[in-house]
mmCIF file of all heavy atoms in Angstrom:
data_model
loop_
_atom_site.group_PDB
_atom_site.id
_atom_site.type_symbol
_atom_site.label_atom_id
_atom_site.label_comp_id
_atom_site.label_asym_id
_atom_site.label_seq_id
_atom_site.Cartn_x
_atom_site.Cartn_y
_atom_site.Cartn_z
ATOM 1 N N PHE H 24 -82.920 358.381 -134.113
ATOM 2 C CA PHE H 24 -82.809 358.029 -132.702
ATOM 3 C C PHE H 24 -81.577 358.604 -131.967
ATOM 4 O O PHE H 24 -81.498 358.684 -130.761
ATOM 5 C CB PHE H 24 -82.907 356.485 -132.566
ATOM 6 C CG PHE H 24 -84.263 355.985 -132.788
ATOM 7 C CD1 PHE H 24 -84.478 355.122 -133.895
ATOM 8 C CD2 PHE H 24 -85.341 356.300 -132.016
ATOM 9 C CE1 PHE H 24 -85.739 354.543 -134.186
ATOM 10 C CE2 PHE H 24 -86.653 355.809 -132.295
ATOM 11 C CZ PHE H 24 -86.809 354.941 -133.360
ATOM 12 N N GLY H 72 -83.058 337.219 -159.423
ATOM 13 C CA GLY H 72 -83.908 337.368 -158.178
ATOM 14 C C GLY H 72 -83.325 336.633 -157.060
ATOM 15 O O GLY H 72 -82.083 336.462 -156.931
ATOM 16 N N LEU H 90 -74.789 345.330 -139.833
ATOM 17 C CA LEU H 90 -73.673 345.833 -139.026
ATOM 18 C C LEU H 90 -73.560 347.387 -139.203
ATOM 19 O O LEU H 90 -73.350 348.119 -138.232
ATOM 20 C CB LEU H 90 -72.380 345.199 -139.460
ATOM 21 C CG LEU H 90 -72.214 343.696 -139.047
ATOM 22 C CD1 LEU H 90 -70.954 343.173 -139.682
ATOM 23 C CD2 LEU H 90 -72.162 343.646 -137.516
#
Side-chain angles (χ1 to χ4, degrees):
F24 288 115
L90 289 171

